[in-house]
């Protein structure tokens, strides 16, 4: 795993060092706040890079919601013929130019970045620089949060970011027979559990990223949906 992620780790080490040097050169942050600000800026940069994929994902999910009545008809018509059901569903996706896998792309890209940053924050030189550096309740940014606040925030924001997206797209809680709320809870629980032993810096990256994701969903999906509903009511 380390060898596979080595090129990405090297890139992010260089980027983080550059951002941190820029932040500290301002001379307005404490040592701990400087590292946290650098994590925030790095997270913002990563989110901007994957923003086109997020927009594509959201547009695809909007289209998925629009064709739900058609999918329901197909499921009812071919409920005893799984092969035909799959063929007709894929035909419908193709007709409306929907890629059912597009929703996974942002996550598939973010996970290698997350693990690459794990190795960045676990390098001896980085741990030596952040060892004993405090920020708010965190007494050591190089180690896990002993008060368990960050793991809880990690699980909560992971769930909320997925829940907001799900609720903004559809009131239908199921997709292909799989309860999406259950999937959200499993993902949130997994991230919270992993965050127990992750360095605080890495968990901060994930929490900040989730908050940015929620803001993106609100701006790109919730607000347009509200405007659309208002126009429909007005007409």
């Amino acid at each position: 795993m380390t060898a596979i992620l080595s090129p990405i780790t090297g890139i992010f080490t260089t980027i983080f060092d550059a951002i941190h040097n820029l932040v500290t050169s301002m001379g307005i942050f404490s040592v701990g706040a400087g590292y946290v600000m650098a994590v925030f800026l790095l997270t913002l940069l990563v989110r901007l890079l994957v923003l086109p994929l997020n927009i594509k994902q959201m547009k695809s999910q909007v289209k998925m919601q629009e064709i739900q009545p058609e999918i329901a008809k197909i499921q009812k018509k071919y409920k005893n013929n799984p092969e035909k059901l799959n063929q007709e569903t894929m035909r419908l996706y193709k007709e409306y130019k929907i890629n059912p896998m597009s929703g996974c792309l942002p996550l598939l890209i973010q996970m290698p970045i997350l693990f690459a940053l794990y190795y960045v924050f676990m390098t001896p030189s980085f741990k030596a620089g952040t060892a004993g550096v405090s920020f708010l309740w965190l007494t050591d940014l190089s180690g896990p949060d002993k008060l368990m606040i960050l793991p809880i925030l990690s699980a909560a924001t992971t769930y909320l970011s997925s829940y907001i997206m799900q609720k903004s797209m559809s009131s239908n809680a199921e997709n292909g027979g799989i309860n999406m709320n259950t999937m959200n809870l499993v993902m949130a629980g997994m991230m919270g559990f992993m965050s127990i032993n992750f360095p605080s810096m890495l968990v901060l990256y994930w929490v900040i990223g989730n908050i940015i994701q929620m803001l993106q969903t609100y701006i790109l999906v919730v607000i347009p949906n509200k405007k659309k509903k208002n126009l429909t009511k007005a007409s």
Side-chain angles (χ1 to χ4, degrees):
M1 177 69 75
T2 306
I4 296 173
L5 293 175
S6 182
I8 306 176
T9 302
I11 291 171
F12 277 101
T13 299
T14 302
I15 294 173
F16 183 84
D17 287 343
I19 294 174
H20 183 248
N21 289 336
L22 176 63
V23 170
T24 54
S25 67
M26 296 178 184
I28 58 176
F29 298 101
S30 65
V31 177
Y35 276 109
V36 173
M37 179 56 67
V39 169
F40 170 76
L41 293 175
L42 177 64
T43 310
L44 191 60
L45 175 63
V46 171
R47 288 291 172 167
L48 286 174
L49 290 175
V50 300
L51 181 58
L53 288 176
N54 272 325
I55 293 174
K56 185 176 181 181
Q57 171 201 14
M58 292 174 184
K59 287 182 177 179
S60 178
Q61 288 180 316
V62 168
K63 286 184 179 180
M64 284 283 286
Q65 173 58 20
E66 291 174 349
I67 67 170
Q68 281 304 308
E70 294 296 323
I71 290 179
K73 290 178 182 178
I74 292 173
Q75 289 174 338
K76 184 178 180 179
K77 184 175 182 180
Y78 300 107
K79 62 181 179 180
N80 296 321
N81 190 340
E83 184 177 350
K84 186 65 175 178
L85 172 62
N86 184 61
Q87 289 177 354
E88 289 299 308
T89 301
M90 295 309 296
R91 179 193 61 77
L92 196 63
Y93 288 158
K94 186 175 181 180
E95 180 181 340
Y96 285 88
K97 299 179 180 179
I98 295 173
N99 180 2
M101 296 302 294
S102 64
C104 302
L105 286 176
L107 183 61
L108 290 175
I109 291 175
Q110 289 178 54
M111 293 311 290
I113 293 174
L114 180 68
F115 286 109
L117 286 173
Y118 172 82
Y119 291 112
V120 171
F121 296 148
M122 289 299 288
T123 57
S125 59
F126 189 89
K127 287 178 69 70
T130 55
V133 175
S134 62
F135 178 75
L136 298 179
W137 73 91
L138 300 168
T139 57
D140 185 355
L141 289 176
S142 68
D145 180 5
K146 295 180 181 179
L147 295 180
M148 299 289 290
I149 295 175
L150 277 182
I152 292 172
L153 287 175
S154 173
T157 56
T158 298
Y159 175 77
L160 285 173
S161 62
S162 300
Y163 178 79
I164 292 172
M165 173 67 75
Q166 174 193 332
K167 293 299 289 184
S168 64
M169 292 297 177
S170 174
S171 59
N172 184 10
E174 294 189 358
N175 182 10
I178 300 175
N179 189 285
M180 296 303 294
N181 196 52
T182 300
M183 290 180 63
N184 293 341
L185 286 170
V186 170
M187 182 64 181
M190 183 178 71
M191 291 309 304
F193 179 76
M194 289 193 299
S195 297
I196 294 174
N197 295 313
F198 276 172
S200 295
M201 294 281 283
L202 185 64
V203 186
L204 281 169
Y205 163 83
W206 187 257
V207 171
I208 293 169
N210 286 334
I211 294 172
I212 294 174
Q213 180 64 48
M214 284 187 272
L215 290 173
Q216 285 181 353
T217 302
Y218 185 79
I219 294 170
L220 297 174
V221 179
V222 176
I223 292 178
N225 280 353
K226 286 183 178 179
K227 290 181 178 179
K228 186 176 181 180
K229 288 179 181 179
N230 290 336
L231 289 173
T232 302
K233 289 179 180 179
S235 61

